[in-house]
Amino acid sequence: MNIGINASFLRKPNTGIGQVTTHFLETLVNLERSEKSLKNYKFIIYTEEKSGVKWPRNFVEETFLPWYKRDDLFRKLLWEKWYLPRKAHKNKCDVLISLYQSATVIHYTDMKHVMIVHDIIPQIFPEYLNNLRKKIYWAKVEKGIYAANKIVTVSEHTKVDLELRLNVKAYKTFVSKIAVDNIFADDVSEKDLNRVMKKYGLEKGNYLYTGGGLEMRKDVDRTLRAYKKLKERNEDVPKLVVSGKLMPELAPLIIDVEQIVLDLNLVDDVVILGFVEQKDLPALYKGAKVFIYPSLYEGFGMPVLESMSVGTPVITARDTSIYEVSGDAAVYADHDDEDLCNKIADTIVDKNLLVKMSLEGKERSKEFSWCSFVKDVFNVVNS
């Protein structure tokens, strides 16, 4: 059986879908060596840039681009909707697996299309569709989702979103939880922790941390306002550390965190790191007293799982998929500045609660694995 895999996001390893793509393929390669059920497959990995990966015998990488070479939404649409299906058909694929929600629709062939859907953010937040190209592309993605033979969502919440908002039939949608980078499963060494603390000028256990992106839906501005209230109550509260790629030119979709900090008069109390390398993140989480993540919408919630994996207590929001990730191992706040402030204030002074959350979060994080996810996807492929 020939299995085509849309691995376009291999070229973007710092994105959530890039991480899923990387770990899915790494796990698949490892499983193929040990699982008899995968021995008879030929895997064709479709990419837009050469990955540099040395693939095993029955893996082949095909890299191609449309006539339009600029890396933007127009090229993305051409690649997904027209070029990829034709390549897969030419390679006589029996199944095409899209590792993210895409505009691909299979026509005039018996090839099955299995699509992994992480979220439908533009459907929930139409503000993201702020130009014609984005609107056209998302309309095609919705058609791609609807036309897929089978869908794997990374949370029950996304499955319900597809049913309620896109009229996707429940019988063709399956749920399987993803995991996070394996570097979060390893204990953070004292040497690595000290290196990261020194690199960013931080003190272990003496800062609060919020990260995972600066998109408006992440509600980082609420975290900053809640922190301002906290400082007004208690001057001795630890500093707040904020990470995420700074792109003020994209405001309001990406919040201008520097301007907000300035407006709130928190320049001396908030440390803005900008983009943080993946290799530094485990120690950055580990060094924090708590991780704060009051996101308005998540398809899954990888930052919450990352924090729990290293044993750092999480304060988050119960909405959308996050509770599926953190369960009873987190403190939940309403989308209200005062409530978030109160939850942070109460949590950081409760030593017993911090220890309990650390242990429970680390234990819960063990329930998520890439091996289970990849096996689930292939169970769907074979069903």
Side-chain angles (χ1 to χ4, degrees), residues 44-239:
I44 304 161
I45 313 301
Y46 296 111
T47 59
E48 293 184 59
E49 293 178 10
K50 289 187 181 297
S51 68
V53 175
K54 292 183 178 180
W55 300 101
R57 176 183 52 81
N58 57 335
F59 285 73
V60 175
E61 181 176 348
E62 285 219 10
T63 303
F64 60 92
L65 288 174
W67 57 269
Y68 180 85
K69 302 295 189 265
R70 182 178 173 181
D71 194 354
D72 60 13
L73 271 183
F74 182 57
R75 187 182 97 178
K76 186 176 172 69
L77 181 60
L78 288 174
W79 195 88
E80 292 174 358
K81 185 166 178 57
W82 286 283
Y83 283 71
L84 177 59
R86 284 164 175 75
K87 275 282 184 183
H89 180 63
K90 182 180 178 182
N91 293 140
K92 299 180 179 179
C93 288
D94 299 288
V95 180
L96 176 66
I97 301 174
S98 291
L99 295 178
Y100 61 94
Q101 55 275 8
S102 74
T104 300
V105 176
I106 306 299
H107 291 294
Y108 315 120
T109 175
D110 292 333
M111 184 185 355
K112 286 198 303 185
H113 187 199
V114 176
M115 183 183 289
I116 297 168
V117 177
H118 301 269
D119 57 63
I120 53 168
I121 290 169
Q123 171 68 223
I124 311 294
F125 295 96
E127 302 95 314
Y128 281 83
L129 303 176
N130 59 354
N131 63 46
L132 184 58
R133 281 192 176 189
K134 290 180 181 178
K135 290 176 181 176
I136 292 172
Y137 176 71
W138 181 249
K140 299 298 184 184
V141 170
E142 288 192 356
K143 289 182 179 178
I145 293 171
Y146 190 82
N149 298 96
K150 294 176 183 177
I151 292 169
V152 177
T153 64
V154 297
S155 66
E156 291 286 350
H157 190 273
T158 297
K159 181 179 189 293
V160 172
D161 274 348
L162 294 183
E163 293 168 15
L164 296 181
R165 293 177 176 270
L166 299 186
N167 296 316
V168 173
K169 302 300 182 185
Y171 70 84
K172 72 173 189 177
T173 308
F174 305 81
V175 178
S176 182
K177 307 291 198 307
I178 54 175
V180 292
D181 195 321
N182 293 327
I183 61 173
F184 293 99
D186 300 326
D187 289 333
V188 178
S189 68
E190 200 66 27
K191 180 181 177 181
D192 204 38
L193 184 58
N194 291 336
R195 176 188 65 81
V196 172
M197 294 300 101
K198 183 178 179 180
K199 178 177 180 178
Y200 296 109
L202 303 173
E203 182 184 348
K204 175 189 173 183
N206 198 32
Y207 63 90
L208 317 178
Y209 175 45
T210 186
L214 298 174
E215 294 176 58
M216 64 174 190
R217 66 184 174 88
K218 303 290 186 178
D219 226 10
V220 176
D221 46 343
R222 186 178 306 284
T223 300
L224 290 166
R225 294 194 301 271
Y227 180 74
K228 173 68 174 178
K229 288 178 177 289
L230 197 58
K231 286 293 292 183
E232 290 170 349
R233 294 183 193 176
N234 180 6
E235 272 296 320
D236 295 328
V237 70
K239 288 191 174 184

Side-chain angles (χ1 to χ4, degrees), residues 256-267:
D256 188 347
V257 67
E258 292 175 311
Q259 186 61 54
I260 295 172
V261 167
L262 196 62
D263 293 343
L264 292 173
N265 195 27
L266 290 172
V267 175

